[in-house]
Amino acid sequence: GEDVEQSLFLSVREGDSSVINCTYTDSSSTYLYWYKQEPGAGLQLLTYIFSNMDMKQDQRLTVLLNKKDKHLSLRIADTQTGDSAIYFCAESISPKTSYDKVIFGPGTSLSVIP
Amino acid sequence: NAGVTQTPKFQVLKTGQSMTLQCAQDMNHEYMSWYRQDPGMGLRLIHYSVGAGITDQGEVPNGYNVSRSTTEDFPLRLLSAAPSQTSVYFCASSYEGPYGYTFGSGTRLTVV
């Protein structure tokens, strides 16, 4: 089956690193995504990683992928109060049709304490 | 500004009423989708379209209809609103490929 799981809440102090974890179940996933949702807004794509990669770094963001364990993580270095938001993990599954089905996790609400 | 525009932002309906949520994008994206967001459940796909004239059902299509007469527009129709359809609705679009979605800012719908 297809499912994406995340812990629902995370609280960190400003300046610390945040690590948001995600597990997925479909081994045929091609791309995995992290989205950020600020209050009252839509989701914003932060980064994505292809399933044959182990790591991707983009400024303060580091994505780690353990394909064997089907585990994805997002590390935010030097977390700021502006990083407070809900973070969604998502996997793209390529079915036999041309449409890449995207499954979203429930989202992790990150609270940054000043 | 280029992007996905959703209207209205807020709506209250009475049970049994019908309405259309509007979605328009100006990026010439082939793919468009409607999701609903409920607390603790992430986003669930309602309907999607891979191009003008082509639509298909997602995970939770019951009670909703869509059409795609142009590349730009992808309206979502609620046929007879029910309290279970109280949710936040997001429209999203993308090019074909791994580029991720561009989301609208959402429509918060309450059915009483």
Side-chain angles (χ1 to χ4, degrees):
Chain A
E2 304 151 350
D3 199 8
V4 177
E5 294 183 350
Q6 302 176 240
S7 54
L8 297 183
F9 302 99
L10 177 66
S11 182
V12 299
R13 293 203 174 274
E14 188 174 17
D16 288 350
S17 292
S18 307
V19 179
I20 302 171
N21 294 304
C22 167
T23 57
Y24 60 97
T25 56
D26 198 307
S27 59
S28 65
S29 294
T30 53
Y31 289 90
L32 295 129
Y33 302 87
W34 284 105
Y35 285 84
K36 176 183 181 182
Q37 184 183 31
E38 296 181 351
L43 279 70
Q44 173 192 2
L45 179 67
L46 284 179
T47 187
Y48 65 88
I49 187 168
F50 187 47
S51 58
N52 68 353
M53 297 170 64
D54 297 325
M55 186 182 85
K56 181 178 181 181
Q57 188 152 2
D58 184 1
Q59 298 182 333
R60 291 191 298 123
L61 304 180
T62 303
V63 178
L64 296 177
L65 175 60
N66 181 329
K67 196 172 181 182
K68 172 177 171 290
D69 294 336
K70 299 187 182 69
H71 183 266
L72 182 74
S73 68
L74 174 70
R75 178 176 180 270
I76 305 173
D78 187 24
T79 311
Q80 302 298 306
T81 54
D83 294 322
S84 293
I86 301 175
Y87 291 81
F88 290 90
C89 171
E91 60 172 338
S92 174
I93 301 164
S94 294
K96 294 179 181 178
T97 65
S98 62
Y99 181 74
D100 283 347
K101 185 177 179 181
V102 178
I103 307 295
F104 287 85
T108 299
S109 179
L110 174 65
S111 298
V112 181
I113 304 165
Chain B
N1 292 336
V4 178
T5 302
Q6 288 185 241
T7 56
K9 291 191 182 303
F10 301 95
Q11 183 71 49
V12 178
L13 289 179
K14 293 182 179 178
T15 298
Q17 286 185 315
S18 62
M19 79 160 295
T20 300
L21 307 185
Q22 301 291 344
C23 175
Q25 54 92 8
D26 57 2
M27 297 169 285
N28 204 31
H29 285 169
E30 297 97 340
Y31 293 165
M32 296 187 76
S33 308
W34 277 102
Y35 288 87
R36 59 178 289 173
Q37 182 181 25
D38 301 293
M41 299 187 71
L43 277 76
R44 292 182 291 170
L45 181 65
I46 305 171
H47 285 285
Y48 66 94
S49 169
V50 299
I54 306 169
T55 64
D56 206 346
Q57 296 181 350
E59 188 183 354
V60 288
N62 292 340
Y64 308 95
N65 274 355
V66 292
S67 60
R68 183 106 179 261
S69 57
T70 66
T71 300
E72 294 79 16
D73 299 300
F74 191 44
L76 177 73
R77 297 183 190 85
L78 279 70
L79 308 173
S80 177
S84 61
Q85 293 179 305
T86 294
S87 188
V88 181
Y89 292 84
F90 287 101
C91 179
S93 70
S94 71
Y95 291 115
E96 184 176 0
Y99 307 108
Y101 289 133
T102 300
F103 280 83
S105 58
T107 295
R108 184 173 294 273
L109 176 68
T110 302
V111 182
V112 298

